[in-house]
Amino acid sequence: MSARKSETPARISRPDYRGDLVYSCIGCDQQYPVDQFHYTCPACGSLLKLVDRSFEKLRRTPGARWREIFDGRRLSNEPSLSGVFLFHELILPLVPPEDVIYLGEGHTPLVRANRDLAGWLGAPFLVKNDGLNPSASFKDRGMASAISYLNHIIRKSDLDEVLGICASTGDTSAAAALYLSYLPKGRVKSVVLLPRGKVTPQQLSQPLGAGATVIEMPGVFDDCMRVVEELAENYDVFLLNSKNPVRINGQKSYSYEVAQQLDWDTRNLVVILPIGNAGNITAVMEGFLDLYRLDVIDTLPTVIGVQSHHADPVYRWKMTGNYKPVSVLPSVAQAAMIGDPVSFPKVRQLVMEHFESRFFMVRVTEQEIMEGMLTANRHGHVVCTQGGESIAGLKAAVEKGLVDPSDTLVVDSTSHQLKFAEFQRMYFEDSFPPEYEVDTKDALRNAPVSIEGGAQAVAEYLGLKRK
Ligand SMILES: *Cc1c(COP(=O)(O)O)cnc(C)c1O
Ligand SMILES: [Zn+2]
C-alpha cells in the first residue's frame, strides 16, 4: 500500500516553473505587468496577448521529455495538475498550484465517427466533444485559467471586492458564472450581459442557477459587447470576455489535448472549428504553435474556420482580403452569430505569420448546419449546432478538395446538444421562422408517439410478433 503510494507521484513532474509573463500589445509591442488587469493596450488600443519572456528556458527541455511530462501527469489525481493545468507551464505558469481552480474541465473525448457517418460526410473523422465540460462548452477551458488567475491575484494583492463581468452569446456567461461562483462570495460578484431572446432557455438557466446577476439587453451580442467594453474601460471590473488574454491561454489546452490524444503525431492533421468572436481559433492556433516551438510536435496542423452565411465576416476577409464587420442574420449556430469578431486582428496576425498556407475558411448554410448536427447525433454523437457547423464545414471542405480523406480530420463540437434542443425541436416540428432559411426534411424528423392501452397496444404499433 505505502509502496504504491510513493511510486506514482515520483513519475509525475510537479510544475515549479513560474515563467516571466507580461501582456504584450499586438499593435505596438508595448509590454505591461501581468499582475494588473489589462484587456487592450493603454497606449494604442490594440489587443493584448500574454508572452512568456523566459520561454527559451522551456525550450531547453527536449520535446520528448515534455511529452513524457504531459503524459505522466495524466496519471495524477492532483486537482491542480488536472484539466487545463495539466499543461501548467504553457497555460499560466505564474499561478502556483495552490491557487488553481479545477472544476472538472478539459480532457474531453475524441470520438471516432462510425462508418455510416464517415460515409455520409465523405471521409473518416473524429469529433472532439467539448460539450462534455462542466458548463457544457469549451468556454470552461478559458474560465479555468481566468478564474485561477483571479484567485491568485485576489490572494496576492488582498483585493477586497472584484466584479467579474462578461457579454455573451450564452456559453461565456454560463462558464463565467459557474467559475466565479466557486470563489469567496463576499469578495467576488458576477454579472453577465445577454442579448434578450438570443440565448437558449438552457443557456439562460445556467448563470441564473449559479447566482449571477443576469442583465438582458436589446440587440445582438455585438451590442452587449460594446456596453461591457465601455464598462471595462471606465470602471473597476474584471472582464471575462475572450479579449482578456488570460482566457485565451486556457483555451490553448484544446490543441494540447488533441495532440496528446493523437499520441503527438500531428502530421496531416486538420482541425475544423466554428468562428464567432474568434477567440477559440486564436487559442487553437497559439496552442499548436507552443507545441511546435517546444518540439513536442513536428508539424503544424491545417486549421479550417467555418462560418454560416448569416454571420461570415472572417470568410469574406479570407475571400477578398478585406475585413469589414457584417450585420448578422438569425443563425442556429447562435453562439457564433457575431458580425465583428473581437479577436479578428489576432487571427489575421497568426495567419500571416504562421498559418498562411495552412488556414482555410468555409461557409455553410443554416440548412447544412442543422443537417450536420442532426445526422451526427443519429450516429452516436451529442453535438450542438456549432458542432453541426464544424461537421457541415468539413463536409464542404472534403467536397471542395481542401482536405484529403486520408488526413486526420478533427472537428470541434464546441458545446452540448442539450443546450440547443430548441433548434432541434423547431426542425422536427417544421416551425423555423423564415429568416433562418431552414426547411425540415422528413428523413431527419422525429416525434414522440402517444399510445394508450399498455403492452399490447405498443406491440401492435411496433408490429411485433408474439413468441
Ligand atoms: C463561444 C462559442 C463559439 C464561438 O467561439 P469564439 O471563440 O467566439 O469564436 C462557438 N460555439 C460555442 C458553443 C460557443 O459557446
Ligand atoms: Zn499598443
Side-chain angles (χ1 to χ4, degrees):
M1 189 68 196
S2 62
R4 259 181 83 182
K5 253 192 165 164
S6 60
E7 195 182 318
T8 312
R11 280 157 48 199
I12 292 165
S13 164
R14 312 244 352 137
D16 45 23
Y17 173 79
R18 291 292 161 269
D20 180 17
L21 266 69
V22 288
Y23 296 106
S24 170
C25 173
I26 71 160
C28 72
D29 289 329
Q30 266 291 341
Q31 298 189 337
Y32 304 95
V34 74
D35 56 359
Q36 301 169 356
F37 298 162
H38 286 296
Y39 317 111
T40 50
C41 175
C44 80
S46 301
L47 294 173
L48 299 171
K49 60 181 178 189
L50 285 170
V51 170
D52 182 356
R53 291 190 295 199
S54 62
F55 195 78
E56 281 307 310
K57 277 191 201 153
L58 296 179
R59 292 189 41 155
R60 283 181 217 147
T61 300
R65 175 64 192 139
W66 280 119
R67 294 194 289 269
E68 245 171 52
I69 292 173
F70 296 144
D71 288 343
R73 286 186 191 155
R74 281 181 101 178
L75 303 170
S76 169
N77 290 316
E78 168 56 43
S80 67
L81 282 177
S82 306
V84 307
F85 279 93
L86 184 147
F87 307 96
H88 191 278
E89 292 83 352
L90 303 177
I91 302 285
L92 285 178
L94 80 146
V95 177
E98 63 268 29
D99 290 333
V100 166
I101 306 283
Y102 168 66
L103 300 186
E105 64 286 342
H107 301 303
T108 56
L110 201 52
V111 182
R112 201 166 288 281
N114 70 10
R115 199 196 296 223
D116 285 350
L117 185 61
W120 170 82
L121 184 123
F125 67 102
L126 300 149
V127 178
K128 183 149 171 82
N129 188 352
D130 257 18
L132 297 177
N133 272 300
S135 81
S137 85
F138 76 84
K139 299 295 198 304
D140 292 331
R141 296 179 181 277
M143 289 305 162
S145 61
I147 301 307
S148 297
Y149 164 85
L150 182 62
N151 190 36
H152 175 61
I153 299 292
I154 289 176
R155 188 175 62 79
K156 245 187 48 178
S157 58
D158 252 343
L159 280 179
D160 1 283
E161 208 169 78
V162 184
L163 187 74
I165 189 166
C166 67
S168 176
T169 52
D171 293 331
T172 299
S173 56
L178 175 67
Y179 281 77
L180 284 166
S181 74
Y182 195 82
L183 295 185
K185 288 282 176 279
R187 301 175 76 177
V188 178
K189 291 202 164 54
S190 87
V191 179
V192 305
L193 272 78
L194 301 171
R196 188 179 305 125
K198 308 245 167 23
V199 306
T200 72
Q202 294 78 9
Q203 289 170 318
L204 178 59
S205 79
Q206 291 185 287
L208 289 172
T213 301
V214 178
I215 300 175
E216 293 187 306
M217 305 199 79
V220 293
F221 167 80
D222 299 281
D223 301 302
C224 293
M225 192 63 213
R226 276 190 284 275
V227 172
V228 164
E229 282 178 341
E230 202 177 319
L231 290 171
E233 214 158 283
N234 301 311
Y235 300 86
D236 229 352
V237 296
F238 184 60
L239 178 71
L240 279 158
N241 282 96
S242 54
K243 201 171 191 178
N244 187 340
V246 300
R247 247 194 66 194
I248 297 290
N249 268 38
Q251 289 177 200
K252 293 191 298 183
S253 60
Y254 178 89
S255 302
Y256 308 153
E257 288 178 18
V258 168
Q260 188 171 37
Q261 285 166 311
L262 296 172
D263 293 325
W264 310 107
D265 182 359
T266 56
R267 283 168 299 170
N268 305 317
L269 172 62
V270 183
V271 178
I272 299 99
L273 68 161
I275 299 184
N277 224 3
N280 199 28
I281 192 160
T282 298
V284 166
M285 288 195 277
E286 286 184 354
F288 282 113
L289 264 179
D290 286 345
L291 297 182
Y292 184 66
R293 287 175 172 146
L294 289 179
D295 286 330
V296 173
I297 58 173
D298 56 21
T299 21
L300 287 173
T302 295
V303 175
I304 301 182
V306 189
Q307 291 194 306
S308 159
H309 61 145
H310 284 179
D312 59 356
V314 184
Y315 173 81
R316 286 172 191 234
W317 163 70
K318 179 71 172 130
M319 293 305 128
T320 64
N322 291 319
Y323 175 75
K324 259 201 338 261
V326 303
S327 315
V328 296
L329 294 170
S331 174
V332 297
Q334 205 164 44
M337 205 179 106
I338 295 176
D340 188 10
V342 164
S343 291
F344 173 73
K346 286 186 173 171
V347 176
R348 178 166 48 198
Q349 201 170 75
L350 281 160
V351 168
M352 300 211 295
E353 289 174 10
H354 305 285
F355 284 85
E356 188 77 76
S357 60
R358 302 172 176 278
F359 172 75
F360 300 98
M361 283 299 301
V362 173
R363 182 167 65 181
V364 294
T365 64
E366 293 292 308
Q367 184 76 32
E368 290 164 336
I369 296 172
M370 282 308 294
E371 287 171 11
M373 174 181 89
L374 295 171
T375 307
N377 293 349
R378 286 180 160 228
H379 293 89
H381 297 270
V382 280
V383 308
C384 62
T385 43
Q386 295 69 216
E389 185 172 24
S390 300
I391 289 169
L394 175 57
K395 194 171 195 296
V398 172
E399 279 159 16
K400 283 186 174 54
L402 285 181
V403 300
D404 194 288
S406 68
D407 290 343
T408 304
L409 306 170
V410 173
V411 306
D412 187 353
S413 179
T414 46
S415 79
H416 199 285
Q417 173 188 20
L418 292 176
K419 287 207 190 208
F420 295 88
E422 277 298 292
F423 292 118
Q424 176 182 290
R425 185 187 59 77
M426 283 198 268
Y427 191 96
F428 289 167
E429 294 176 359
D430 200 1
S431 62
F432 266 108
E435 319 74 276
Y436 283 93
E437 304 181 87
V438 176
D439 293 322
T440 298
K441 283 187 187 155
D442 282 340
L444 286 175
R445 211 166 178 164
N446 206 357
V449 183
S450 200
I451 297 179
E452 276 150 50
Q456 199 186 332
V458 174
E460 257 166 45
Y461 174 80
L462 295 174
L464 298 183
K465 288 213 176 69
R466 202 171 262 287
K467 346 187 234 197

